[in-house]
Amino acid sequence: MLPLDPKADIGRRAWVTCPKCADSRGCESCEQGRSCSDHWRYLLSTTGSLLHLQCPSCTHVWAHETGFGATRSLWNRIAGGRPKR
């Protein structure tokens, strides 16, 4: 299991299903698209419409394309990922 990212801050959260543990499955609030107090993810950073997240339950880190707001070009969405530091 990975440790929490140093940028993980409980004040920066997102409500997206974790692709690894799916701990929100069966939660009435999550299944209705509402935010709940149990199944949030750390929002590590954003690049346009791409969110970089970490699950507090299993510590899985992934990128989630929202397709909302300042979207990146199609090529950047396909070839992109977490920007290099």
Side-chain angles (χ1 to χ4, degrees), residues 27-56:
C27 174
E28 185 177 334
S29 295
C30 292
E31 288 179 354
Q32 292 177 358
R34 299 184 321 220
S35 58
C36 81
S37 60
D38 296 324
H39 304 113
W40 51 270
R41 313 300 169 211
Y42 288 109
L43 177 59
L44 302 176
S45 65
T46 60
T47 303
S49 59
L50 186 67
L51 307 180
H52 303 117
L53 305 162
Q54 185 169 28
C55 178

Side-chain angles (χ1 to χ4, degrees), residues 16-27 39 41 55 57-58:
V16 177
T17 301
C18 176
K20 185 173 180 185
C21 72
D23 63 346
S24 60
R25 190 175 305 141
C27 174
H39 304 113
R41 313 300 169 211
C55 178
S57 298
C58 69

